[in-house]
Amino acid sequence: MSRPRTRARSLPRSWSVGLVWALSVIAGAPSSALASASASAPAADASEEAEAITPPAVIRKVDAVYPAGAVIEADVIVELLVTVGEDGRVRAIEVDRSGGADFDAAAIAAVGAWELAPARRGDTPIAAKIRVPFTFTPPAVAAGEDAGAGEGGGDVAAGEGAAPPASDAEGSTPPEPGAGAEAEDEDEAVLEVEVRGRRPQPPRSASDLQIDGEVLRAAPRRDAGDLMSSAPGVYISRPEGEAVAHEIILRGFDAAHGQDIELTVGALPLNQISHIHGQGYADLGIVIPEVVRSMRVREGVYDPRQGDFAVAGSVDFDLGVTQRGLTLRSAGGSFATFRQLVLWAPKGQDEGTFAAATVRRTSGFGVGRGGISGAAIGQLVLRARDRTRVTLHAAAYGARAGLAGVLRRDDVDAGIVGFYDAYDDPSARSQSASATRGQVMVDVDRRGEADDRSRLAIWTAYSDFRSRENFTGYLQRSMVMPEWVGRGDLIEQSNADIGAGFLASHRTKSWRPAKWFAAALELGTQARLHRIGQAQNLLQAPQNETWDNRVDATIRASDIGVYGDLELRLGRRVTLRGGGRADVLHYDIDDRLGNFIAPYQVASHIVGYRRAALGVAGGPRASLEFRPLEWLRTFAAYGQGYRSPQARQLEEGENAPFTKVHSVEGGLRITPAWRREALTISAAGFGTFLDNDLAFDPEEGRLEKIGPSQRSGLSAHVLLRPLPWLVAAASVTYVRAVLSAPPPATAENPSPAFVAGQRLPYVPPVVVRGDVGVDRQVTTLAGQPLALRAGAGYSYLAPRPLPYGAFAAPVHQLDLSAGVAWSYVELGVDVHNALNRKIAATEYAFVSDWGTRPIPSRLPARHFAAAPPLAAMGTLTLHF
Amino acid sequence: MDRDHHASQDVRRGRWHRGGRRLALALALALAACGDTGQARVALEVVGRGASLSTITSLDGWEVTLSEAEVAVGPIYLCASAAASADLCPSSVAEFADAAVIDALDPGAQALGEGEALSGETVRSLMLDYGIPWLTTQSRPQPTPAAPGGHSARLVGRAVQGDQAIDFIAEVDVVAVIRGTAALEGIAISATTISEGDHTLEVVVDPLRWIQIVDYDALAAMPPPPPGEPLVIAEGSTAYNALALAMTGAPPQIILHE
């Protein structure tokens, strides 16, 4: 019988914490007899009892985190003796083999946060002491920082929630109970389980955060977009219904549907180039929230891996399922909303291996908001002995939903229309949207003997989008037939995009010419190519007859980027990371309505305008980390990012302009030594400067240029894990977002109003977020653990400035959840908008005419789209 | 003593809480109030004025005196573009989204209603209707309630030349030619930047300029009306078209001032 650590040494080294733990059931006796049972039970008796003993099973595991700033060349092994009570609680933790204070603390913090089902003799829960060895492998610090499905981190291989655990990730057969006992204690029945730990990516700034599943699952979430609410400075809403992408606010940016925020699932980008509904459009409906294991939020642009749309920052969804097994969930509640989920995470396989499918349908709150959506996502992670990991990813999504559209605030105030209603008008009642997306990715990741790493990921994605929305009522005039007017501004937009791309990178081994110096270089390239067909028309309800053509174009777009990232470690306290990135952006546009001939013009040519444009976006990214104290890390970072242009706005031969962003940040992160991992405080001051910003233009239903802008502010984030079963996170972000220069002159307004310090519209100056979650096993019932779960999430937005001097109402949103789990069954309830406040999911200011006044106003008026009122969902979950 | 100590702590804590709440509230308000978007809606008092005289000599030498002159104005949209039109002014910067009638023979200020304007914007042109807009959703121009008798203008007067006298009445409609546009577009006014304070939009109509170009000789040659009744300048007649053309070519004078 071998000791677990012997097996640990036989495993491949990982860039992250190579965490191997073994459960050694020392006693199958009641807790009172624990010590004596472990010390004096005859071998024969122990062997007999081992047959009947079920070891403790992990219900919820928290990964050990490689101690921040620790740089140890060799593996560090820590062995803990953990006493698991009859109720499954961790009663005591002893360090049996120390790896040093930092590593001991990291291991203790991790195990202390675990939840386990007690060991059993037959059906009777018993106390047990288990040995948990941790192997901390020196991290390859910079490699794979864009963690995701294909990244090496985050893969619990086996045993989660299962007793006895099944095979490990290496594909070995599960050890038999009683096998592998420790050398010095032949009486121990050892059950061996391998777990690969995850190490958070080394942050590039104080605002570079990994938000773990325990925080993401604290508050109820309708969808994957809701998960982003927990990131500092983020507010997310879905004002255009369930088939249109979320609108995201991030640290002073109204990122609309993704124009300023890079969203990825590993190497697979979710943002769409030149989408007709908004640059960077990213529909998160394809991500099922239950399969999101963690989320990395990088606010600012300081990492050379950050690509297109990383203007405000990047969010990467790390997919994985920690609770292995088959999960069936059915939920139903307010507004005839039902959701079914099937999630299969085969036991004994990598956390990244799973398959999930969900269907959701709702009648919607208020008028015209019904919808149906479905998504399926699956991953298979294959590991090879030569440290190669292959992730196969496939996902598909489809949705169709009605839209109530926006309402004039003055009409609601006057009682003409209700807050949750839609205008009683055929054009308003004909609004809808539908979307589909499918994507496939293969990600091959090979780690070398040292900390070198090579990676190749290839993906392809197809998406189709169609929306019919009327923002302005009855203002539009047909370009094709100018006498046609007043038929309803029902704008139909369609966008069909098929794209493919890849990521290839290699990181060298660390070069260590001196003890105090280490250097490593990563070079990478990313490319994506798309063929996009798009159209925009005006439709007349209710027959949806086309009465104007606005856009009919095909776009071929490509973005080929290269980056280099150098990491220099100068002693134990200073790390400099940085490099540069350059992207070649090419567009070929077949604008079939270009050079349009109005009916009153004499035809002198054939309508159409084909053009091509190319440009290069490049810039440096750098961050400096200084750790003056063990518990204090300080950061200074600077970087240049970009947003690709809306292709149809380019002219022939134009040096493809792009929005360039300069991002700077200084901050600190405090991790008190007295309770490492129990408390993390991050604070930052930041500034962001854009040379050309965009804002939503309701008249055309798309984004238009508004000129240069800048943002400056402060943010703070606190993560608190005071008890293993309690987690809390809170953040406050203050931003001053202003226009730096007057908006571009137009024929309609040759000198737009501008004053120095003019606020950017739609950007809330203050965003507050709090999450708290309790998940605790409270007792046992009929021999099965009974656990209670409760959570809350609260978002606050200060009044947002709107164009033309108006302000949106502040937002207070409180979501609550609670549940009880016993055996295979969990019952829960989720309450959204528990304060039942009338919340505007988004607000605009523009001109509209819905016929609600005898003579229409042409002054911009406040409009809003309502967010859902109080809604409750009951949930039944079966987990096997 | 302990109790006192705790009590005093509680009092202090209570004060701190109250003070903290006040401070937090003040801070929140201050942060929220920082949002200067550079523009504000300002009130626009709309007043009308008529001509100071009631008599004018026509181009063909008739002495024309108006006894009644009612002119409907509105809606009025003031624009930042150089030439206001439905296409070039999708969003106005000041407006009188209503219609009112002006006694065109009263030079005194007549309150017509309230409008609104956006501070920081510069007005360069305007478009307006004479009380009969043609909205995008209407199949034909529809008079507003303010339109006198459902018309843009109602003019009653007497033209005298020697021993000839013509009592006339004209009810004129001036409407947009194209649906969804205004009757009068592209009217330039001196560029005025709207400041933060309240403003007055003054609308001055001078019907004498309109009746001045009517061919009264031709009116005199028409069959006389029944005794005691005025000559009705009928729609489609030369005189009617002249008046409509004059109302288009000599629009009201619009003055925007604080």
Side-chain angles (χ1 to χ4, degrees):
Chain A
M1 300 173 95
S2 61
R3 288 181 64 89
R5 61 173 175 270
T6 304
R7 177 176 173 78
R9 288 189 185 113
S10 71
L11 294 170
R13 283 167 61 132
S14 170
W15 60 272
S16 63
V17 179
L19 168 62
V20 178
W21 65 279
L23 301 178
S24 304
V25 179
I26 298 173
S31 55
S32 57
L34 182 64
S36 60
S38 62
S40 61
D45 292 346
S47 176
E48 287 173 10
E49 288 196 3
E51 294 296 324
I53 292 174
T54 304
V58 178
I59 295 173
R60 188 172 67 91
K61 182 184 73 65
V62 175
D63 295 325
V65 177
Y66 199 96
V71 181
I72 307 294
E73 296 297 326
D75 287 356
V76 175
I77 296 173
V78 177
E79 290 188 2
L80 304 179
L81 292 176
V82 180
T83 302
V84 182
E86 297 168 359
D87 56 0
R89 293 181 190 176
V90 174
R91 296 293 185 187
I93 304 173
E94 306 165 43
V95 178
D96 192 45
R97 175 175 174 176
S98 174
D102 284 354
F103 292 96
D104 292 351
I108 291 171
V111 172
W114 288 5
E115 287 183 17
L116 302 106
R120 296 177 184 284
R121 180 187 292 117
D123 291 333
T124 308
I126 55 173
K129 182 179 284 186
I130 59 176
R131 180 183 300 277
V132 184
F134 287 78
T135 301
F136 292 87
T137 301
V141 176
E145 296 200 338
D146 48 342
E151 297 296 331
D155 309 308
V156 176
E160 295 292 327
S167 62
D168 65 33
E170 300 299 317
S172 60
T173 55
E176 294 298 324
E182 298 182 12
E184 66 272 29
D185 188 353
E186 296 296 331
D187 295 339
E188 292 180 8
V190 175
L191 186 68
E192 190 172 311
V193 179
E194 178 201 347
V195 177
R196 287 181 188 274
R198 292 189 299 139
R199 185 182 68 84
Q201 305 300 331
R204 299 278 167 149
S205 69
S207 300
D208 185 344
L209 299 168
Q210 175 166 310
I211 301 176
D212 289 328
E214 56 185 332
V215 174
L216 297 179
R217 280 182 280 278
R221 317 282 179 169
R222 284 191 175 90
D223 48 44
D226 267 357
L227 299 173
M228 292 173 59
S229 300
S230 296
V234 169
Y235 179 73
I236 193 159
S237 60
R238 207 163 194 180
E240 293 172 77
E242 306 212 352
V244 179
H246 296 79
E247 288 195 2
I248 308 164
I249 289 170
L250 171 59
R251 206 164 82 165
F253 284 84
D254 173 21
H257 297 299
Q259 60 161 339
D260 295 320
I261 181 167
E262 178 190 37
L263 296 162
T264 54
V265 174
L268 202 158
L270 295 175
N271 302 83
Q272 292 184 236
I273 294 173
S274 279
H275 195 284
I276 195 166
H277 195 62
Q279 182 66 318
Y281 182 91
D283 192 339
L284 298 173
I286 200 164
V287 180
I288 296 175
E290 282 85 351
V291 304
V292 177
R293 180 172 47 187
S294 67
M295 198 172 67
R296 186 185 182 194
V297 180
R298 283 174 286 185
E299 303 192 355
V301 195
Y302 313 117
D303 188 333
R305 295 163 193 78
Q306 291 175 277
D308 199 359
F309 307 112
V311 174
S314 305
V315 172
D316 179 71
F317 293 93
D318 167 36
L319 303 188
V321 178
T322 56
Q323 188 176 23
R324 310 303 294 176
L326 176 65
T327 300
L328 305 174
R329 178 168 296 157
S330 184
S334 304
F335 317 116
T337 302
F338 299 94
R339 180 174 184 263
Q340 277 72 42
L341 167 78
V342 178
L343 169 59
W344 183 39
K347 294 178 180 177
Q349 296 205 23
D350 192 289
E351 276 189 5
T353 296
F354 61 82
T358 183
V359 176
R360 184 176 190 275
R361 65 184 172 88
T362 180
S363 297
F365 61 97
V367 175
R369 292 182 172 90
I372 302 177
S373 62
I377 188 167
Q379 282 196 168
L380 176 61
V381 176
L382 306 172
R383 290 182 183 275
R385 289 282 178 187
D386 65 348
R387 303 165 186 267
T388 300
R389 167 195 164 104
V390 179
T391 302
L392 307 176
H393 167 98
Y397 163 70
R400 189 197 180 282
L403 283 170
V406 296
L407 301 175
R408 290 179 66 105
R409 181 69 79 167
D410 51 10
D411 284 346
V412 174
D413 294 342
I416 295 171
V417 62
F419 189 87
Y420 296 110
D421 290 343
Y423 283 111
D424 187 14
D425 173 276
S427 190
R429 299 291 174 101
S430 298
Q431 300 179 84
S432 66
S434 67
T436 59
R437 182 180 166 105
Q439 59 190 34
V440 176
M441 177 174 65
V442 178
D443 189 345
V444 182
D445 190 348
R446 184 180 186 282
R447 299 168 193 282
E449 291 292 327
D451 53 357
D452 54 317
R453 179 190 184 195
S454 300
R455 184 180 179 200
L456 175 64
I458 302 171
W459 58 267
T460 185
Y462 169 77
S463 71
D464 189 41
F465 170 87
R466 185 177 300 277
S467 67
R468 299 179 183 90
E469 294 188 75
N470 187 337
F471 291 94
T472 51
Y474 289 85
L475 296 178
Q476 294 285 313
R477 179 179 298 280
S478 172
M479 292 168 56
V480 177
M481 301 292 286
E483 66 271 27
W484 292 353
V485 65
R487 298 187 175 200
D489 307 344
L490 188 61
I491 301 172
E492 178 193 50
Q493 294 181 322
S494 65
N495 195 91
D497 181 337
I498 184 162
F502 69 89
L503 177 155
S505 65
H506 177 72
R507 176 190 158 89
T508 66
K509 297 176 184 175
S510 291
W511 178 54
R512 300 175 189 274
K515 191 174 181 181
W516 54 271
F517 182 85
L521 175 66
E522 179 173 327
L523 295 175
T525 180
Q526 287 174 292
R528 57 188 301 185
L529 299 95
H530 294 261
R531 187 181 192 280
I532 307 158
Q534 51 190 219
Q536 182 165 315
N537 304 300
L538 284 174
L539 303 181
Q540 182 172 4
Q543 299 299 323
N544 285 347
E545 298 154 331
T546 303
W547 65 282
D548 199 19
N549 302 128
R550 295 291 173 88
V551 176
D552 181 9
T554 299
I555 297 165
R556 295 171 184 83
S558 61
D559 179 349
I560 300 167
V562 294
Y563 70 86
D565 185 29
L566 181 65
E567 179 185 278
L568 300 176
R569 283 183 173 272
L570 308 172
R572 293 173 56 86
R573 301 195 184 280
V574 178
T575 304
L576 179 63
R577 300 180 178 94
R581 182 185 180 100
D583 286 76
V584 177
L585 310 169
H586 177 263
Y587 300 92
D588 184 289
I589 305 120
D590 180 6
D591 182 357
R592 288 181 286 278
L593 294 182
N595 291 320
F596 181 75
I597 303 171
Y600 49 82
Q601 291 178 311
V602 175
S604 59
H605 57 272
I606 296 171
V607 174
Y609 182 23
R610 292 158 300 284
R611 51 202 188 270
L614 186 144
V616 179
R621 321 265 173 96
S623 72
L624 175 66
E625 178 182 344
F626 175 54
R627 192 180 187 198
L629 301 165
E630 282 300 300
W631 49 271
L632 175 63
R633 306 164 77 179
T634 61
F635 298 88
Y638 170 78
Q640 293 181 9
Y642 74 99
R643 180 208 297 132
S644 58
Q646 182 65 263
R648 280 182 295 98
Q649 294 177 345
L650 297 172
E651 295 296 325
E652 167 62 27
E654 194 171 2
N655 183 25
F658 42 85
T659 298
K660 191 154 194 172
V661 57
H662 299 258
S663 187
V664 61
E665 181 181 310
L668 54 85
R669 185 164 296 171
I670 298 170
T671 310
W674 55 270
R675 190 74 190 270
R676 198 174 297 281
E677 314 310 334
L679 174 64
T680 303
I681 302 170
S682 303
F686 58 86
T688 311
F689 308 88
L690 265 73
D691 63 1
N692 203 347
D693 213 338
L694 299 177
F696 179 69
D697 177 9
E699 190 178 347
E700 291 294 330
R702 64 188 183 211
L703 301 163
E704 300 291 351
K705 296 176 182 176
I706 60 169
S709 64
Q710 65 183 60
R711 293 150 180 84
S712 56
L714 302 167
S715 68
H717 178 262
V718 177
L719 175 64
L720 188 62
R721 289 190 185 96
L723 297 165
W725 44 269
L726 174 64
V727 64
S731 66
V732 180
T733 302
Y734 166 72
V735 184
R736 180 173 173 77
V738 297
L739 272 177
S740 309
T746 61
E748 290 83 358
N749 196 342
S751 59
F754 175 74
V755 295
Q758 182 170 321
R759 286 281 192 177
L760 276 174
Y762 310 123
V763 175
V766 179
V767 177
V768 177
R769 174 70 189 186
D771 290 278
V772 60
V774 173
D775 191 350
R776 187 177 192 189
Q777 183 181 325
V778 291
T779 185
T780 56
L781 190 62
Q784 299 285 341
L786 181 73
L788 297 180
R789 168 183 63 79
Y794 169 75
S795 293
Y796 166 74
L797 264 68
R800 287 168 276 181
L802 301 176
Y804 310 109
F807 281 86
V811 171
H812 297 272
Q813 180 152 345
L814 176 66
D815 301 327
L816 303 171
S817 72
V820 55
W822 178 76
S823 187
Y824 302 107
V825 182
E826 179 177 346
L827 290 172
V829 62
D830 293 343
V831 179
H832 298 270
N833 190 9
L835 302 175
N836 199 22
R837 293 178 66 93
K838 288 183 174 176
I839 296 172
T842 190
E843 292 213 35
Y844 307 110
F846 57 86
V847 180
S848 72
D849 176 15
W850 286 99
T852 52
R853 45 193 45 76
I855 297 177
S857 167
R858 284 180 178 265
L859 282 178
R862 287 177 63 180
H863 295 71
F864 71 95
L870 186 149
M873 292 280 284
T875 303
L876 169 64
T877 303
L878 302 176
H879 181 76
F880 305 98
Chain B
M1 179 144 180
D2 278 350
R3 195 178 303 141
D4 291 342
H5 174 68
H6 287 304
S8 124
Q9 271 193 328
D10 289 342
V11 169
R12 283 202 299 272
R13 193 175 297 126
R15 284 177 186 154
W16 188 91
H17 278 306
R18 285 193 294 276
R21 276 201 299 271
R22 280 197 294 269
L23 179 65
L25 181 62
L27 181 63
L29 290 173
L31 291 174
C34 285
D36 178 9
T37 53
Q39 288 184 294
R41 281 179 180 253
V42 297
L44 199 62
E45 184 187 1
V46 184
V47 297
R49 291 183 190 276
S52 55
L53 300 172
S54 60
T55 301
I56 194 169
T57 302
S58 71
L59 297 180
D60 54 1
W62 291 68
E63 189 83 0
V64 185
T65 301
L66 288 176
S67 56
E68 287 181 47
E70 291 179 311
V71 179
V73 293
I76 304 171
Y77 300 107
L78 294 91
C79 304
S81 58
S85 69
D87 287 339
L88 287 176
C89 186
S91 175
S92 62
V93 295
E95 69 179 18
F96 175 52
D98 204 345
V101 65
I102 298 175
D103 181 350
L105 299 179
D106 178 3
Q110 304 163 45
L112 302 183
E114 293 287 331
E116 281 189 298
L118 296 174
S119 69
E121 297 286 3
T122 301
V123 174
R124 296 182 180 84
S125 63
L126 63 90
M127 51 189 178
L128 64 82
D129 284 300
Y130 283 111
I132 308 178
W134 193 0
L135 306 182
T136 60
T137 49
Q138 295 172 338
S139 57
R140 61 181 58 85
Q142 298 288 331
T144 61
H151 301 283
S152 296
R154 173 183 164 84
L155 306 173
V156 180
R158 168 174 258 212
V160 177
Q161 187 180 54
D163 58 352
Q164 283 188 293
I166 306 171
D167 292 316
F168 65 87
I169 180 170
E171 292 178 324
V172 185
D173 293 339
V174 179
V175 299
V177 178
I178 299 173
R179 177 170 160 176
T181 63
L184 274 66
E185 293 189 335
I187 302 172
I189 63 172
S190 60
T192 306
T193 299
I194 301 166
S195 58
E196 291 281 348
D198 291 347
H199 288 64
T200 300
L201 185 69
E202 199 170 308
V203 184
V204 181
V205 291
D206 184 358
L208 298 179
R209 296 175 63 196
W210 304 338
I211 63 169
Q212 189 180 21
I213 67 167
V214 172
D215 184 349
Y216 293 95
D217 291 337
L219 285 183
M222 292 176 65
E229 293 189 17
L231 174 73
V232 177
I233 298 177
E235 182 180 357
S237 67
T238 302
Y240 183 95
N241 290 342
L243 279 172
L245 184 63
M247 290 176 69
T248 305
Q253 184 183 5
I254 308 289
I255 306 159
L256 178 65
H257 54 80
E258 280 191 87

